[in-house]
């Protein structure tokens, strides 16, 4: 790397709503980014933005359902970019419904993306970070993993597991100077949220406006408002935070 002190961040779900906001926030801060996503095409504009800012960026696209991909990804990033200082386990999947409506596929797919992939990525990243003197892992959990909402059983269970994983890792690896925390958003104005409304036959704009009215601060979160908190948790400003679940909910618990 041209700048030996430049930090390297691996971000999963890089092309999604929160993922894009995190990538852009990091690039603006001069943090080099490794973009993990299913689609090479969807991250090309982010690579172009990095080039314009003269901040190193590389795409490491693949499927988080592939255990080999998840197991090997941190080492690939470390070898290609010279370090791995920050891991953002951001990729996520939401399946809706009461337990009597959920399928085996809903459960297995949600567990694979929301729990198993962060487990594998963290397991592979921690030795690299420890060897380098420390690092940071930030998980995108959910308020719904702390205070379960109605008719989202599988989603709530997986996010609760990720929240528990965060607390366990934070405790177990603090002595290695590896800080593990999670951001717990409530509703966020992302393509995933809007697609969910459309699948149910709702007008996405009207549904978002209804949600806005339920939030004390007056609107559901924009992706950038979550990315700001993730950037804080990845920075030295949060150096005494470890194993924390940070709710970002606009006052709506």
């Amino acid at each position: 790397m041209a700048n030996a002190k430049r930090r390297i961040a691996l971000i999963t779900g890089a092309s999604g709503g929160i993922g894009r906001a995190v990538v852009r926030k990091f690039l603006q801060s001069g943090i080099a980014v490794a973009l993990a996503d299913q689609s090479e095409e969807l991250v090309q504009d982010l690579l172009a933005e990095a080039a314009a800012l003269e901040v190193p960026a590389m795409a490491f696209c693949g499927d988080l359902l592939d255990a080999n991909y998840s197991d090997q990804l941190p080492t690939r990033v470390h070898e290609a970019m010279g370090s791995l200082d920050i891991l953002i386990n951001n990729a996520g999947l939401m399946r809706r419904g009461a337990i009597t409506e959920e399928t085996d596929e809903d459960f297995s797919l949600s567990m694979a993306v929301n729990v198993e992939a962060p487990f594998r990525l963290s397991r592979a990243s921690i030795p690299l970070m420890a060897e380098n003197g420390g690092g940071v892992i930030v998980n995108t959990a959910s308020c719904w993993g702390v205070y379960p909402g109605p008719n989202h059983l599988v989603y709530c269970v997986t996010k609760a597991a990720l929240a528990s994983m965060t607390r366990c890792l934070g405790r177990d690896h603090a002595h290695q100077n590896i800080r593990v925390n999670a951001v717990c958003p409530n509703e966020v104005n992302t393509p995933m949220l809007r697609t969910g409304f459309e699948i149910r036959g709702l007008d996405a704009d009207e549904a978002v406006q209804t949600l806005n009215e339920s939030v004390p601060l007056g609107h559901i979160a924009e992706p950038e408002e979550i990315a700001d908190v993730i950037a804080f948790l990845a920075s030295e400003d949060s150096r005494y935070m470890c194993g924390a679940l940070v709710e970002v909910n606009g006052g709506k618990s």
Side-chain angles (χ1 to χ4, degrees), residues 119-174:
F119 165 79
R120 290 182 178 279
L121 290 162
S122 298
R123 183 177 63 182
S125 297
I126 284 169
L128 300 173
M129 292 178 175
E131 185 177 351
N132 197 40
V136 178
I137 299 174
V138 182
N139 297 320
T140 302
S142 173
C143 283
W144 285 44
V146 182
Y147 310 105
N151 297 320
H152 283 68
L153 174 110
V154 169
Y155 179 74
C156 292
V157 165
T158 60
K159 289 300 185 177
L162 185 57
S164 182
M165 187 189 305
T166 299
R167 286 174 161 156
C168 291
L169 292 176
R171 181 184 180 91
D172 290 348
H173 298 283

